[in-house]
Amino acid sequence: MSATFATSDPHGHLSELTAALRAAGLVGDDGRWSGGEARLWVLGDLLDRGPDGLGVIALVRRLADEAAAAGGGVHPLLGNHEVIALGKRRFGDEEVVHRGMVRSFGAIWSRNGGLETDQAGMDEDLVAWMAALPAVARDGEHLMMHSDTTAYLDWGDSVEEVNEAVRATLADDDPVAWFDVLVRLGQRHEYAGSAGPLAARRLLRTLGGTRIVHGHSIIGDLFDEPVDSYDEPRLYAEGLALDIDGGIYEGGPCLVARLSG
Ligand SMILES: [Mn+2]
């Protein structure tokens, strides 16, 4: 069986991501895919906060082509920062009443590390690519997603239903529906604590798989530890959830988890 890997939340840190993929044997010294038939999942938040979000996206897209040609695969998922960047581009500073609050994508983008350079380089082709990213995916027994929340279930009872609902919203022009996507993907920490295993089990029972793999919540934040005190993904929630977000933009490691093979 070919190996399965996952990484998450590179947040514009192109050189750190490249180095981590090289260390995992997925990228060669020439910068090209060297993982053969391996699969790599990239669990969202490719841009914002770090210097070169567009560079990260370009790397992921190129590696996806190279991996596919080699019989492997590179599969990015949608994170909340993709929705913020897309929303900023589509709606700008337009104010919208959402769940009784006045919100704008522009303000959220500004407060959450949005970069003008990333926005400036988002052409139609890139926007279409980002807006079509799946929110969740199954790979064998692993259920892949960006955020550690059960809010995915608000969109449907299967991986296909969830992805289709998110994709349909992002293909449309209703800012209130867009904010629903953003709020759901912004939720976190729902698999932690005493109720965590129950929440994780509910998600797995509905969408399939036996273990959730997620990013979005930095291991150090989730477990109240310094980001320089760990160098591996964290299995928790009675083994039902694996957090792979090392917290690269806070000085933590860029983790590449080997999930199987
Ligand atoms: Mn996130």
Side-chain angles (χ1 to χ4, degrees), residues 199-216:
R201 207 167 277 122
R202 185 169 149 245
L203 206 66
L204 289 163
R205 199 169 53 230
T206 309
L207 300 182
T210 57
R211 178 170 291 168
I212 293 164
V213 182
H214 72 83
H216 185 53

Side-chain angles (χ1 to χ4, degrees), residues 4-11 17 21 26 33 39-47 56-57 59-61 63-64 73-79 82 129 133-137 144-146 213-215 244 254-257 259:
T4 307
F5 296 82
T7 191
S8 192
D9 296 77
H11 277 300
L17 175 62
L21 295 176
L26 297 175
W33 177 256
R39 286 189 301 284
L40 169 66
W41 293 88
V42 185
L43 307 184
D45 282 6
L46 306 180
L47 74 182
V56 168
I57 291 172
L59 173 70
V60 168
R61 296 183 77 178
L63 291 177
V74 173
H75 306 290
L77 297 185
L78 184 77
E82 279 73 39
W129 180 85
L133 289 172
V136 292
M144 313 285 188
M145 63 192 65
H146 176 68
V213 182
H214 72 83
I244 65 169
C254 180
L255 300 175
V256 179
L259 302 174

